[in-house]
Amino acid sequence: MSTQRRHDREFVRTFFTSPTAVEGEDDSAKMIRSAAQLRGMQAPDVWVPDNEDATAPSMRDEGADNIVEVVSEHGADFPGEIHPRIVWHRDSPGTRYRCFQHLLQIADPEKGAIEHIDGFVIPEVGGIDDWKKADEFITIVENEYGLEEGSLAMSVIVESAAAELAMGDLREEMGKPDNNLERLFLLVDGEVDYTKDMRAMTPTGGLPPWAELRHNTSRGASAAGLIAVDGPYDDIRDVEGYNERMEDNRAKGMIGIWSLTPGQVVEANKAPLPPETGRWLLDTGDGTTELESEDGTQFYDGERIGLDETETGYSLRVGGDERDLGEDELREELLDMTEYVPSMDDIVDSMEEFEAAKEAGTGAISMTQSATIVIDGIEIDISKDRMWDEATYQAAMTPVSLFQDVYENRPDQREALAELYGENVVERAMNVG
Amino acid sequence: MSTQRRHDREFVRTFFTSPTAVEGEDDSAKMIRSAAQLRGMQAPDVWVPDNEDATAPSMRDEGADNIVEVVSEHGADFPGEIHPRIVWHRDSPGTRYRCFQHLLQIADPEKGAIEHIDGFVIPEVGGIDDWKKADEFITIVENEYGLEEGSLAMSVIVESAAAELAMGDLREEMGKPDNNLERLFLLVDGEVDYTKDMRAMTPTGGLPPWAELRHNTSRGASAAGLIAVDGPYDDIRDVEGYNERMEDNRAKGMIGIWSLTPGQVVEANKAPLPPETGRWLLDTGDGTTELESEDGTQFYDGERIGLDETETGYSLRVGGDERDLGEDELREELLDMTEYVPSMDDIVDSMEEFEAAKEAGTGAISMTQSATIVIDGIEIDISKDRMWDEATYQAAMTPVSLFQDVYENRPDQREALAELYGENVVERAMNVG
Amino acid sequence: MSTQRRHDREFVRTFFTSPTAVEGEDDSAKMIRSAAQLRGMQAPDVWVPDNEDATAPSMRDEGADNIVEVVSEHGADFPGEIHPRIVWHRDSPGTRYRCFQHLLQIADPEKGAIEHIDGFVIPEVGGIDDWKKADEFITIVENEYGLEEGSLAMSVIVESAAAELAMGDLREEMGKPDNNLERLFLLVDGEVDYTKDMRAMTPTGGLPPWAELRHNTSRGASAAGLIAVDGPYDDIRDVEGYNERMEDNRAKGMIGIWSLTPGQVVEANKAPLPPETGRWLLDTGDGTTELESEDGTQFYDGERIGLDETETGYSLRVGGDERDLGEDELREELLDMTEYVPSMDDIVDSMEEFEAAKEAGTGAISMTQSATIVIDGIEIDISKDRMWDEATYQAAMTPVSLFQDVYENRPDQREALAELYGENVVERAMNVG
């Protein structure tokens, strides 16, 4: 593929930032020293010692030193990639010069950190020509220190309208002889500063949803072989909200997200992987509710939907609407109202079955999912058919490819994955596709 | 207009694909042989003998032969346009070469099919330069066979982020001397493969809505004088869902949609035409419901809204909120809560009235729509005024232009249209604008 | 900043159009003559004598004369900027020539109007090269009349797909030596004609929401240092709908909106300014409702949510769902369900507090908002913390910058602002940032 991803990781679930230097502590590197020792589900795919917004401006020279110290000591053992964020601003040549200085400071091979650093994160980029300035500094530093040209990845924070537009040009710009933009790795949305750049306002001061920005970031990443990552979710107590945001992101093709705490890292490492057990959803007309599964039977225990037997069949109530239905009509109706969320096991099953059918010369097969649903004590058996063809198979491959990418690149998470899914499912998931 | 549409059809409602070669049948061309004989509302505006995804890879050479055989026999009588889909992939030179071979195979004038073929559909295109490669093959084939340069239309399936971005460049690229991109006709979204290219995931495996893609496709079509078509709607049983999707598409300026069955063709041929009878909608606070019309009176029979007479006027209940209103306040409130969906007859009436007013020197007139609404047995007369000016008139022209385009280009549907609307409305609709 | 706004106003809340010549009146300039004398909250930030769609084609030469007459008389005293809209069409050279003639007619310094005119509004633009044609006419007119090159602003109505795409190129095009596009000022959406250009249709004939267009306009403005303005809201009786539209626009960074009447001007001048009093919102699961504030206590008086004391704590009902909660759990739950909309006073308080903390060397502080909430007679005290850092501060600056821009540029509104907020808050708001 011409738009193949050029880096070790095909997927990045988690982008975890830590302040590089904290004032008033005995050890100003305390935060990154502890982050560097995270392992397993608590360790992110990409760890970002953050020498920009998370660190006070006056502490950033010390922060650059801390990065060198901590990464040279712990970098070799860190299970994810390491991409420090350094300062940059499209509108400030002084900040850009400081970026260059920090690059020189951190990347010096004699200090022993750069061999463990996969790349750098450049915030506050503007138009594509501004991206090229940062790229050029990295090229000069690579040359100065005898590193292979293009070996240091560059990720950007998209937090201006100009940067949003630039993402539409990456595919064209990345091949040009006068830059090394092939080093680009992550496109990370930064909604707080983006909101400021767009001069957007909400009554409560909360962030707008920025659906179009996230679409454009995901599209830019897809067109240029890069990886899209959403910005921070500030309310760290709100696990449900964080998961909803991630589900919305995944529907846009944006699988990665910023994490502010190890707790968020755990959530975001797990969220894009298929669930260990399947579940049934019921559309109640004003939203979707999950049915409670007991011994393979699916119970609805809400009040919005009611079911009664009548002399001629059934009476189904949804909110205030009541309808008399025959048994087949009721089953048809419930088929329309239900959806099944497949487990990892289900997905692997279907893929194996489709692979076998394809080998036998069949291009499309029907997969069936059955359930007994209980509403107001009345049991109804339903059976959902779904046609699987090459396209369905390929689409189902996305979560499985993600799983395989994680399994291969994160040995420290294998135990957790085996515990979650069972050894057997893990092994089969590694063999499909 | 500089962005005038360059083809016979100004509108395409339906894009119907049929497998070109089916294994294990006496007649492998069975599916396209029967599709070629569809007529009237079952026949699509654009028929696509599908030699790509709908046909097994091993059957595609035979499929190309079948296209030639069936189109040379039935093409002259087919009421819509014929645009076979042939193989292509932005990432595979082998597939692109096969495209060229199939083009040479199908377009040979001695075989008698090409004279009935309006163009070709190219799937899996990437950036604009990839589109040009396909365009160039068609140009070479036109030249080789003595066909007029640019006479074969080219439609593309937009199923990659790169192709989505390319749609923003069409207007600039189409006039350039080194291509014949003026042959472009349809921009068709292919959401299944697009979802894969974007690496998007949903819990149930269903397709994301891709609102931004559809907007960008419609915009690209509008800016370049092309026609936008939405991708397949897989759940062929779900007629209501198909119609909801089409209504959402039309609000984006995307009037055409893929059809997988003759039943879907009938729905999609009818859906964008104005209804034969008007209807009133009531906003119930948690959605919109259609009032039941009996003898010109509009009845609400739901439970969410209630109306009572009181000593001083009325008590109106919406969900749990109850308010006391005088008669004028109630009428005002109901005006806010209701909307009228005009019929074809209504639209033509208003246009005729506006045309007369304009001729008499008036630039804006007020159109009134009255109704008697009954809630809980209480009758209220309301009267909605709408200002019509040149802009309203021009906007109302869209469905009427569509109707006129259909009437002119699809004589086989005239009978069905006359039956639907009555001869008189049809005749008047052909004369406005 | 490279993308600094180049004009006097950093913000435009209101874009108010008036017909330049009305037929059948003693004084055909009646409408603009009265508009020119609006003051205070009724006077828009940008007043647009509209010699295009609001004026009959046959009256437009007279309209151009009327602009000259009225603006030369009243322009000096008008408190907002004056930007007449003149004719233009991407597809009609005749209309474009007429634009040039009207420019020459209106801009003649001897007539005394141009010194009060800040720029012109060009409707119906197409691709970026079409924008340049209008820019060039203005350059020629400036040169012809000895006006400084680039001194006349140019605003455009975005009402075609081509113009929507052009907004993505402004940042790159505005510096080029062969144009004076730096004169660009407002990007104004024109949804009625845009709907026609996109060939979109809705059942009722109402306008589609065009969320993507508004995003792209706001983004184009932000990337090029311009100001985004939404199109007209036709239903002038519907004040609530107008305010909802504006709130939605502000979340996209589009702060300005078209106004069709002085009443709409008042609404739109006030809407983007922070409210004079804060308020609490409660998420009821099917929407958000405002709590009623009495003596600092917040009362919920709806029916959807219920609260009871139980032996072990509380029972909270939301719709049909009932849950038993301890006091801390209930407080946690209510924290999740509530949001606070800060007043201007609150915002200025928080900014002052953050500024003081920053000066003292602290980069982030916690702001607390407390309330007593009463549901079904039961009082619960809650306390919301919000972390403020540099980014929060900068984002909160947007409404305050807007306020400062208004205060500085609109002396005629100072009295109304002081009445709204009190002198003390106004003074403090002018001093933060």
Side-chain angles (χ1 to χ4, degrees):
Chain A
M1 299 226 304
S2 60
T3 51
Q4 234 166 351
R5 284 158 176 87
R6 292 175 185 78
H7 301 275
D8 291 342
R9 293 301 303 267
E10 294 260 326
F11 293 88
V12 166
R13 296 163 295 171
T14 38
F15 178 96
F16 174 55
T17 48
S18 326
T20 57
V22 189
E23 224 160 350
E25 300 279 347
D26 285 350
D27 172 15
S28 78
K30 186 184 159 185
M31 299 293 281
I32 49 171
R33 205 180 302 279
S34 91
Q37 296 173 67
L38 292 171
R39 295 294 180 273
M41 282 298 175
Q42 287 205 319
D45 285 342
V46 167
W47 174 45
V48 182
D50 185 0
N51 207 39
E52 199 225 8
D53 278 2
T55 300
S58 60
M59 296 296 285
R60 290 178 187 164
D61 291 333
E62 188 172 335
D65 284 336
N66 285 346
I67 293 173
V68 169
E69 187 207 321
V70 170
V71 173
S72 60
E73 185 183 346
H74 296 286
D77 299 327
F78 189 75
E81 297 200 354
I82 303 177
H83 296 253
R85 176 157 80 157
I86 51 183
V87 295
W88 184 267
H89 205 290
R90 58 194 176 282
D91 296 329
S92 162
T95 306
R96 297 198 294 269
Y97 181 46
R98 206 162 172 213
C99 169
F100 187 47
Q101 292 170 311
H102 285 162
L103 272 175
L104 285 167
Q105 190 177 344
I106 298 168
D108 183 348
E110 301 210 342
K111 296 187 180 153
I114 194 66
E115 60 190 287
H116 309 304
I117 288 177
D118 300 275
F120 289 91
V121 177
I122 310 293
E124 295 289 1
V125 289
I128 189 72
D129 286 350
D130 188 58
W131 301 35
K132 291 177 190 168
K133 297 174 194 170
D135 163 50
E136 170 66 357
F137 280 163
I138 301 178
T139 299
I140 289 174
V141 167
E142 284 169 337
N143 177 69
E144 199 60 26
Y145 288 141
L147 305 168
E148 192 190 344
E149 199 167 302
S151 62
L152 290 172
M154 170 172 148
S155 300
V156 298
I157 313 290
V158 175
E159 44 196 335
S160 67
E164 185 187 353
L165 286 166
M167 293 191 293
D169 298 326
L170 292 180
R171 194 182 158 88
E172 309 261 299
E173 294 286 347
M174 279 170 68
K176 292 192 176 167
D178 285 331
N179 68 53
N180 285 309
L181 285 177
E182 294 93 333
R183 70 168 81 253
L184 281 168
F185 178 43
L186 305 177
L187 302 175
V188 185
D189 283 344
E191 279 93 352
V192 173
D193 279 357
Y194 179 81
T195 298
K196 184 183 69 176
D197 186 70
M198 293 283 278
R199 308 199 306 180
M201 302 192 273
T202 60
T204 60
L207 291 175
W210 296 126
E212 294 90 355
L213 170 66
R214 289 181 285 142
H215 175 76
N216 293 340
T217 302
S218 180
R219 179 183 65 176
S222 180
L226 309 179
I227 294 174
V229 174
D230 194 17
Y233 190 84
D234 271 347
D235 190 349
I236 55 177
R237 291 177 330 129
D238 181 10
V239 177
E240 193 184 331
Y242 192 49
N243 274 288
E244 281 168 12
R245 176 64 168 221
M246 289 191 279
E247 183 174 324
D248 193 52
N249 285 343
R250 288 195 297 276
K252 292 171 170 294
M254 178 179 260
I255 289 167
I257 194 167
W258 200 305
S259 298
L260 294 167
T261 63
Q264 281 195 337
V265 172
V266 172
E267 287 301 317
N269 273 339
K270 285 183 181 167
L273 295 169
E276 65 272 32
T277 50
R279 59 188 201 273
W280 286 87
L281 305 178
L282 184 69
D283 178 355
T284 58
D286 65 348
T288 289
T289 191
E290 188 176 328
L291 299 179
E292 200 147 323
S293 182
E294 270 175 51
D295 305 324
T297 302
Q298 311 296 324
F299 291 87
Y300 172 72
D301 65 353
E303 295 182 4
R304 225 186 114 81
I305 292 181
L307 188 59
D308 270 317
E309 281 184 86
T310 64
E311 280 178 31
T312 55
Y314 297 90
S315 166
L316 176 72
R317 185 181 49 75
V318 179
D321 289 337
E322 207 145 344
R323 281 194 297 160
D324 288 322
L325 300 169
E327 188 171 344
D328 288 349
E329 290 171 315
L330 174 63
R331 187 167 288 123
E332 195 70 12
E333 194 58 32
L334 287 177
L335 271 177
D336 281 352
M337 292 167 69
T338 50
E339 282 190 294
Y340 182 66
V341 177
S343 67
M344 174 67 102
D345 194 9
D346 294 324
I347 295 173
V348 171
D349 261 356
S350 301
M351 293 186 73
E352 287 172 346
E353 211 175 309
F354 181 77
E355 286 177 359
K358 198 163 62 170
E359 203 155 328
T362 309
I365 57 171
S366 177
M367 306 281 181
T368 302
Q369 193 68 42
S370 300
T372 301
I373 291 178
V374 182
I375 302 175
D376 292 345
I378 299 169
E379 293 196 4
I380 309 288
D381 294 323
I382 64 166
S383 219
K384 267 187 131 59
D385 290 325
R386 193 173 170 206
M387 192 59 82
W388 269 60
D389 61 10
E390 185 64 29
T392 330
Y393 173 77
Q394 294 287 346
M397 196 62 216
T398 299
V400 174
S401 299
L402 166 64
F403 173 83
Q404 294 174 347
D405 192 63
V406 169
Y407 192 84
E408 273 158 26
N409 289 284
R410 293 297 304 272
D412 63 313
Q413 295 188 349
R414 286 184 194 165
E415 201 180 308
L417 295 175
E419 234 166 72
L420 189 66
Y421 296 120
E423 291 285 2
N424 173 266
V425 171
V426 167
E427 198 187 315
R428 285 162 53 220
M430 289 306 293
N431 287 324
V432 288
Chain B
M1 297 227 304
S2 61
T3 49
Q4 233 166 352
R5 283 158 177 86
R6 292 173 184 84
H7 301 274
D8 292 340
R9 293 301 302 268
E10 293 260 327
F11 293 88
V12 165
R13 297 164 293 171
T14 37
F15 178 96
F16 174 55
T17 48
S18 325
T20 56
V22 189
E23 223 159 351
E25 299 279 346
D26 285 350
D27 172 15
S28 77
K30 187 184 155 182
M31 299 293 282
I32 50 172
R33 205 180 301 281
S34 91
Q37 296 174 67
L38 293 170
R39 294 294 180 273
M41 283 298 176
Q42 288 206 316
D45 284 342
V46 166
W47 174 47
V48 182
D50 185 0
N51 208 38
E52 200 225 9
D53 277 2
T55 299
S58 60
M59 298 296 285
R60 289 176 188 166
D61 291 333
E62 187 172 335
D65 285 335
N66 286 346
I67 293 173
V68 169
E69 187 208 319
V70 170
V71 173
S72 59
E73 185 183 345
H74 296 287
D77 299 326
F78 189 76
E81 296 199 356
I82 303 176
H83 296 253
R85 176 157 78 157
I86 51 183
V87 294
W88 184 267
H89 205 290
R90 59 195 176 281
D91 296 329
S92 161
T95 307
R96 298 197 295 270
Y97 181 46
R98 205 161 172 212
C99 169
F100 187 47
Q101 292 171 311
H102 285 163
L103 273 174
L104 285 167
Q105 190 178 346
I106 298 169
D108 183 348
E110 302 211 342
K111 296 188 179 153
I114 195 67
E115 61 189 289
H116 308 305
I117 287 177
D118 299 276
F120 289 91
V121 178
I122 310 293
E124 295 290 0
V125 289
I128 190 72
D129 286 349
D130 186 59
W131 301 35
K132 292 176 188 167
K133 297 173 194 170
D135 163 50
E136 169 67 357
F137 280 163
I138 302 178
T139 299
I140 288 174
V141 166
E142 284 170 337
N143 178 69
E144 199 61 23
Y145 289 141
L147 305 169
E148 192 190 342
E149 199 167 302
S151 61
L152 290 172
M154 171 171 145
S155 300
V156 298
I157 313 291
V158 175
E159 45 196 333
S160 67
E164 185 186 353
L165 286 167
M167 292 191 294
D169 298 324
L170 291 179
R171 194 182 157 88
E172 309 262 299
E173 294 286 347
M174 278 170 68
K176 294 191 174 167
D178 285 331
N179 69 53
N180 285 309
L181 285 177
E182 294 94 334
R183 70 168 82 252
L184 280 169
F185 178 44
L186 305 177
L187 302 176
V188 185
D189 284 343
E191 280 93 352
V192 174
D193 279 357
Y194 179 81
T195 298
K196 184 182 69 176
D197 186 70
M198 293 284 276
R199 309 200 305 181
M201 302 191 272
T202 60
T204 60
L207 289 174
W210 295 126
E212 294 90 355
L213 170 67
R214 288 180 286 143
H215 175 77
N216 293 339
T217 302
S218 181
R219 178 182 67 174
S222 181
L226 309 179
I227 295 174
V229 174
D230 193 19
Y233 190 84
D234 270 349
D235 189 350
I236 54 178
R237 290 176 332 131
D238 180 12
V239 176
E240 195 184 330
Y242 192 50
N243 274 287
E244 280 168 12
R245 175 67 169 218
M246 288 190 281
E247 184 174 322
D248 191 53
N249 285 343
R250 288 195 299 275
K252 293 171 170 292
M254 179 179 258
I255 290 167
I257 194 167
W258 200 304
S259 298
L260 293 168
T261 64
Q264 282 195 335
V265 172
V266 172
E267 287 300 318
N269 273 339
K270 286 183 180 166
L273 295 168
E276 64 272 33
T277 51
R279 61 186 200 273
W280 286 87
L281 305 180
L282 185 68
D283 178 355
T284 57
D286 63 348
T288 289
T289 190
E290 189 176 331
L291 298 179
E292 201 147 324
S293 181
E294 269 175 52
D295 305 325
T297 302
Q298 311 297 323
F299 291 87
Y300 171 71
D301 65 353
E303 295 183 4
R304 222 185 116 81
I305 293 181
L307 189 60
D308 270 317
E309 280 184 88
T310 64
E311 279 179 31
T312 55
Y314 296 90
S315 165
L316 177 70
R317 184 181 51 75
V318 178
D321 289 338
E322 206 146 344
R323 282 194 298 159
D324 286 322
L325 301 169
E327 188 171 345
D328 288 349
E329 291 170 315
L330 175 63
R331 188 169 286 122
E332 196 70 12
E333 192 58 34
L334 287 177
L335 271 177
D336 282 350
M337 292 167 68
T338 49
E339 282 189 294
Y340 182 65
V341 176
S343 67
M344 174 68 103
D345 195 9
D346 295 324
I347 294 172
V348 171
D349 262 355
S350 302
M351 294 186 74
E352 286 171 346
E353 211 174 308
F354 181 77
E355 285 176 0
K358 196 163 63 169
E359 205 155 328
T362 309
I365 58 173
S366 176
M367 307 281 181
T368 302
Q369 193 69 42
S370 301
T372 301
I373 290 178
V374 182
I375 302 175
D376 292 345
I378 299 170
E379 292 196 3
I380 309 287
D381 293 323
I382 64 167
S383 221
K384 265 188 133 61
D385 289 326
R386 188 167 173 210
M387 193 58 82
W388 270 62
D389 61 10
E390 184 65 27
T392 332
Y393 172 76
Q394 294 286 346
M397 196 62 214
T398 300
V400 174
S401 299
L402 165 65
F403 173 83
Q404 294 175 345
D405 191 64
V406 168
Y407 192 84
E408 273 159 27
N409 289 284
R410 294 295 304 271
D412 63 313
Q413 296 189 347
R414 285 183 193 166
E415 202 181 306
L417 295 174
E419 234 166 72
L420 188 68
Y421 295 120
E423 290 286 2
N424 173 267
V425 171
V426 167
E427 198 185 314
R428 287 163 52 221
M430 290 305 294
N431 287 325
V432 289
Chain C
M1 296 226 306
S2 61
T3 50
Q4 232 166 352
R5 282 155 178 89
R6 293 174 183 79
H7 302 275
D8 292 340
R9 293 302 302 267
E10 293 259 326
F11 293 88
V12 166
R13 296 164 294 171
T14 37
F15 178 96
F16 174 54
T17 48
S18 325
T20 57
V22 188
E23 224 158 353
E25 301 279 345
D26 284 350
D27 172 14
S28 77
K30 186 183 158 183
M31 298 292 283
I32 50 173
R33 205 180 301 280
S34 92
Q37 296 172 68
L38 293 171
R39 294 295 180 273
M41 283 298 176
Q42 287 205 319
D45 285 341
V46 167
W47 174 45
V48 182
D50 185 1
N51 207 38
E52 200 224 9
D53 278 1
T55 300
S58 60
M59 297 297 284
R60 291 178 187 165
D61 291 333
E62 188 171 336
D65 285 336
N66 286 346
I67 293 173
V68 169
E69 188 207 321
V70 171
V71 172
S72 60
E73 186 182 346
H74 296 286
D77 300 325
F78 188 76
E81 296 200 354
I82 304 177
H83 296 253
R85 177 159 77 157
I86 51 183
V87 295
W88 184 267
H89 205 290
R90 58 194 176 283
D91 296 329
S92 160
T95 307
R96 297 197 295 269
Y97 181 46
R98 207 163 171 210
C99 169
F100 187 48
Q101 292 170 312
H102 286 161
L103 272 175
L104 285 166
Q105 190 176 344
I106 298 168
D108 184 348
E110 302 210 341
K111 296 185 180 156
I114 194 66
E115 61 189 286
H116 309 305
I117 288 177
D118 299 275
F120 289 91
V121 178
I122 310 292
E124 295 290 1
V125 289
I128 189 73
D129 286 349
D130 187 58
W131 299 36
K132 292 177 189 168
K133 296 174 194 169
D135 163 51
E136 169 68 358
F137 279 163
I138 302 178
T139 298
I140 289 173
V141 167
E142 285 169 337
N143 178 69
E144 200 60 21
Y145 288 141
L147 305 169
E148 190 190 344
E149 199 167 303
S151 61
L152 290 171
M154 171 172 145
S155 300
V156 298
I157 313 289
V158 175
E159 46 197 332
S160 66
E164 185 187 353
L165 286 167
M167 292 190 294
D169 299 325
L170 292 179
R171 193 181 158 87
E172 310 261 298
E173 294 286 347
M174 279 170 69
K176 293 191 176 168
D178 285 331
N179 69 54
N180 285 309
L181 285 177
E182 295 92 333
R183 70 169 80 254
L184 280 169
F185 177 44
L186 306 177
L187 302 177
V188 186
D189 284 343
E191 279 94 350
V192 173
D193 279 356
Y194 179 80
T195 299
K196 184 183 70 176
D197 186 70
M198 292 285 277
R199 309 200 305 181
M201 302 191 271
T202 60
T204 60
L207 289 175
W210 295 125
E212 292 91 355
L213 170 67
R214 288 181 286 144
H215 175 77
N216 293 339
T217 302
S218 180
R219 179 183 64 176
S222 180
L226 309 178
I227 294 174
V229 175
D230 194 19
Y233 190 84
D234 271 347
D235 189 350
I236 56 178
R237 291 177 329 130
D238 181 12
V239 177
E240 193 185 330
Y242 192 48
N243 273 287
E244 281 168 12
R245 176 64 170 219
M246 288 190 280
E247 183 175 323
D248 192 51
N249 285 343
R250 288 195 299 277
K252 293 171 170 294
M254 178 178 258
I255 290 166
I257 193 166
W258 201 305
S259 298
L260 294 167
T261 64
Q264 282 195 335
V265 172
V266 172
E267 288 299 319
N269 273 340
K270 285 184 181 167
L273 295 168
E276 65 273 33
T277 50
R279 60 188 201 274
W280 285 87
L281 305 180
L282 185 68
D283 178 355
T284 57
D286 65 347
T288 289
T289 190
E290 189 176 329
L291 298 180
E292 202 147 322
S293 181
E294 270 175 52
D295 305 325
T297 302
Q298 311 297 324
F299 293 87
Y300 172 72
D301 66 353
E303 296 183 5
R304 224 187 114 81
I305 292 181
L307 188 60
D308 270 316
E309 281 184 87
T310 63
E311 281 179 30
T312 55
Y314 296 90
S315 165
L316 177 71
R317 185 181 49 76
V318 179
D321 289 337
E322 207 145 345
R323 280 194 298 159
D324 287 322
L325 301 169
E327 189 171 344
D328 288 349
E329 289 170 316
L330 175 63
R331 186 169 288 123
E332 195 70 10
E333 192 58 33
L334 288 177
L335 271 176
D336 281 350
M337 291 167 69
T338 49
E339 283 189 295
Y340 183 65
V341 177
S343 67
M344 174 68 103
D345 195 7
D346 295 323
I347 294 173
V348 171
D349 262 355
S350 302
M351 293 186 73
E352 287 172 344
E353 211 174 309
F354 181 77
E355 286 176 0
K358 197 163 62 170
E359 205 156 327
T362 310
I365 57 172
S366 176
M367 307 281 183
T368 302
Q369 194 68 44
S370 301
T372 302
I373 291 179
V374 181
I375 302 175
D376 291 345
I378 300 170
E379 291 194 5
I380 309 287
D381 293 324
I382 63 167
S383 219
K384 267 188 130 60
D385 291 326
R386 191 173 171 206
M387 193 58 82
W388 270 61
D389 61 11
E390 185 64 29
T392 330
Y393 173 77
Q394 294 286 348
M397 196 62 215
T398 299
V400 174
S401 299
L402 165 65
F403 174 82
Q404 294 175 346
D405 192 65
V406 169
Y407 193 84
E408 274 158 27
N409 289 284
R410 294 295 305 272
D412 62 313
Q413 295 189 348
R414 285 182 194 168
E415 202 181 306
L417 294 175
E419 233 166 74
L420 189 66
Y421 297 118
E423 290 285 1
N424 173 267
V425 171
V426 166
E427 199 187 313
R428 286 163 52 221
M430 289 306 293
N431 287 325
V432 289

